[in-house]
Amino acid sequence: MSEPEAKKRPGLAVWLPLALFAGFFVLVMFGLFRPANREVSSAMIGKPLPAFDLRPATTDKPGLAVAKFQDGKPKLLNIFASWCIPCAVESPQLAALAAQGVEIDGIAIRDRPADVARFLATNGNPFAAIGADDLSSVQLAIGSSGVPETFVIDGKGIIRYQHIGDIRAEDVSMILGKLKDAGS
Amino acid sequence: MIAEIGLAMLWMAAALALLQLFAGALALRPGGTALIPVVRPLAMMQGLLVAAAFASLITLFLTTDLSVKLVAENSHSLKPFIFKLAGTWGNHEGSMLMWVTIMGLGGGFVALVERRLREDTLIATLAGQAFVSLGFYAFLLLASNPFARLPEPAPEGQGLNPLLQDVGLAFHPPTLYVGYVGLSIAFSFAIGALVTRDVGPAFARAMRPWVLGAWIFLTLGITAGSYWAYYTLGWGGWWFWDPVENASLMPWLAATALLHSASVLAARNALRAWTVMLGVVAFSMSMIGTFLVRSGILTSVHAFAVDPTRGSFILSLLAIYIGGALALFALRASTVTEGARFAPVSREAALVFNNVMLCGILGIVLVGTLYPLLTEAFGQKVSVGPPYFNPVAAIFVLPMIVVMFVGPLLRWREDKAARVTAPVAIPAVVAAFVLFVLVLAEPQMKLLPTLGLGAAAGLAVASVIPLFGRNLRRTPLPTYGMVVAHFGIAVALAGIASDSAFSTEKLAAVNVGDSQQVGPWTIALTGIEPIAGQNWTALQANLSASYAGGAPVALQPQARSFSSPPGQRTESALKTRWNGQLYTVLGEEAEDGRWQLRLWWKPFVPLIWLGGALVALGGALSLLGRVIRDVTRLRAESKIAWRRERQGR
Amino acid sequence: MIRRWIVILTLLLAGLQAGPLAAQDLLPPAPYAYKQLPDPAQEAKAQALMETLRCLKCQSQSIADSDAPMAGDMRHQVRTRIAAGEDPEAIRQWLIERYGDYVSYTPQLSSLTWPLFAAPLAFLGLAGLLLRRRFRRSAGAGVRTATPQEKSS
């Protein structure tokens, strides 16, 4: 709020409200035309994965522990759930990545083993290992706020990149690039 | 047919608004006096036409005409009557039509009854109102046509969000809108008075009832909205400083300040520029708030998805109207000086102090609401919530309340502090006593609720002191209005402080037959049963609650499932006693067959909304008093005029 | 319709968001999502903290008043950490390290947010200035109506 009370020189102070409104206008113009960014990105990029050791999410794949990410080889960490529709949508892209030799490990959020097994039977299983995160605790620890999300982890277990939402066909080469960067 | 007729009437109303603007503008020019008599009828006609257009949209919703796109997208043939009605404004296009309808009707009403304002100022005001309406007409007709048809009628409508299928919410938006848009009248008055350089006591007296009217609805709307959030969201929260809540609070703060500064202008011919400024700011806040919330720029539960085209359309309207009004203000402010000055101990000094404080809160709320947007410009996301707003607002509210102890007792112009020391000592002692007792009895209580309860107790006493020593029958209604409204603030503050100080919560998984304690209540779960409503099914918990071992009362919280569109909503069950409210919610079933119950005992929490209602009642009393006075005066004047005429013959 | 629109639009246009309401998991809530800590003092601490943490899956709610499963998991996380004796502010910092300042409704004082804290002071200062200017002259000269000079100034 500005004051309309201009005593000596009304010339300047009375324009203050208009100036403030102009500032507001610019700010809102920016907000309106900025690409919609509703995602909450992780602040953990560049930091090491937190310690975790998750039980297997299904019977036919091993569980997941942080030690697995310290073998010198960059990997993808895919956060998914059987109850999440975009996770099913991105499965061909994950399969394509796996076919190119990328190692993908999964974390299933709030999921039951039978549901995970059914999901993998329907959508294919590109994962090397799948840990079950029943309380979203690993999800919280790496700063992920939804499913699906895919993290690029380098050979030392450092988080290099976070992809929020499902991986589209056009994202595959970008993800491969990020993996390559993480490997170098 | 009805849709086409509605659209035609909307176009005609827009055309009349254009005419009204030109006729008004020309009438103000030298030699245009011939046009003066047409402006009022134009405004009334425009109001009627736009109201008829709105009525046709309501008809389309009530008959569930599925060939109309808006109906198909937002209604359903199986909805109960009341929600078909509410569906009319529960969407972007419909609510914008309601917006212009209220503007049109407001302008028409001013044209019909306003007799106090100078004729040229009134013409300028009506032209201003038409000018603002035009933008919204253009927006409706060009970018959000509510009457658009589907190429093929839809087989069935898509329904209304379950969260909105609530009787309270059905009438919450119209109430709030009358408040928001009613402030457009104050805006147009300010524009009119700036154009004709007619800012003075007469202008303030003419404007005051209109502001008061809008302010009453705004108060009621905010109060109702907060109660709705309280009982439907199922967690007992009633105010979260969410952008949409802030958007409704900002115009209210500005309008409250405007009411008080208009009093100073009416009584003392001071604060001229300030009052005009607030007139502009109040409606600007309505527009900004609505835009911010609707455009989805700020994260809010209430965002209607507006595409960027619509967003930039509304933003351009804001730029034209707010920017234009502020520019006009700047150009004319040098000719509208502040007027009489006053002594530090006087009624107007107290009013000015609280005016400045209200504007301080307004500034804080605006800054806090917009700040996340600002940091995003720098690539950082932050959240500003209750932990910021509560203490910062208290910095401004608490001194205001102390000044409210004194203000109404002071005389205009100049007063002696010694004269009011005795009457002010009473509330001061009460406040100090309450603080003292609280600090002794509840040493763990947090600072803000403690101060809040003390201030509330003091204000409750202080607010009625102006009635002491007066002849109660001859005390004017506006004085009663002030007393009731100030008392209402005290009541609401007591409720707010006591909710945050004394509420107790119990979350429990309960077997049928078991019972739980929350505060003085013992609550037993006697059964769970499925029940069906018109367009929902629900699981209902049968609870038997007894207060301190007294006779049990039944409560039935439900978890409702809606089918079209699919959605769930908890239906809390409340039991209100004189000293508080028991709040019960049925959660999910736990694995072992127990049921999640969420129970709260909230001492004195209904005072929040009772206080809000009292504030609105105070406004209504004041409005009634002023209207009665105006009508009597007009009658007396016309009688005199009639006599003169007869004598002249 | 509001939320549905948001969901549909984000799904169709952005194609990014996992529809928060489109699907729900079937797992029961985390143990401490809907259960209070046995120690009332600890529960009060946890509650106070939860009321100031943002539910990341919701539009504008704290985790203390959201039914979203992720909010439940966050409540569990907060309560177990409080029960383990962790300081509420440490838990807030832990979350901020992961999600940025966005997760906390209590703005943290930083180079980016200082104006937020300066604003109330600035408004108070402005208010004081306004009031002083308004009263000073009249206090000296007693009460009088505006002189023509004042009117024109």
Side-chain angles (χ1 to χ4, degrees), chain C residues 72-83:
Chain C
D73 286 347
M74 284 171 80
R75 288 197 294 272
H76 173 79
Q77 185 82 220
V78 167
R79 285 201 173 104
T80 43
R81 279 166 181 267
I82 294 271

Side-chain angles (χ1 to χ4, degrees), chain A residues 1-3 5-8 10 38-44 47 50 83-86 109-112 115 134-137 139-148 163-166 168, chain C residues 10-11 14-19 22-31 56-57 59 69-70 72-74 76-77 94-100 102 123 126 129-130 133-134 137 152-153:
Chain A
M1 289 306 309
S2 77
E3 86 279 42
E5 291 201 18
K7 300 285 151 37
K8 300 256 162 54
R38 284 275 172 269
E39 297 123 30
V40 186
S41 40
S42 171
M44 292 291 280
K47 295 185 188 162
W83 43 266
C84 136
I85 298 157
I109 303 295
R110 303 188 57 83
D111 232 332
R112 298 184 297 202
D115 294 330
D134 294 341
L135 300 171
S136 314
S137 56
Q139 188 179 26
L140 290 173
I142 60 174
S144 150
S145 49
V147 276
H163 183 86
I164 299 175
D166 54 329
R168 296 293 167 104
Chain C
T10 32
L11 278 177
L16 289 173
Q17 198 82 340
Q24 288 283 324
D25 60 299
L26 298 161
L27 231 55
L56 298 163
K57 295 283 277 185
Q59 287 295 325
M70 191 175 175
D73 286 347
M74 284 171 80
H76 173 79
Q77 185 82 220
W94 186 84
L95 280 166
I96 288 177
E97 270 167 37
R98 270 135 193 95
Y99 293 99
Y102 186 68
F123 284 127
L126 195 68
L129 198 74
L130 260 173
R133 272 172 113 194
R134 195 78 206 136
R137 277 194 232 162
S152 62
S153 65

Side-chain angles (χ1 to χ4, degrees), chain A residues 16-74:
Chain A
L16 197 59
L18 189 61
L20 286 177
F21 177 71
F24 164 83
F25 185 80
V26 171
L27 182 62
V28 172
M29 279 285 273
F30 156 80
L32 200 61
F33 291 105
R34 153 190 61 112
N37 175 21
R38 284 275 172 269
E39 297 123 30
V40 186
S41 40
S42 171
M44 292 291 280
I45 314 296
K47 295 185 188 162
L49 279 173
F52 62 85
D53 189 358
L54 296 172
R55 69 162 170 83
T58 118
T59 43
D60 54 351
K61 291 282 173 183
L64 193 60
V66 72
K68 191 165 183 298
F69 291 92
Q70 282 147 0
D71 62 359
K73 201 182 146 207

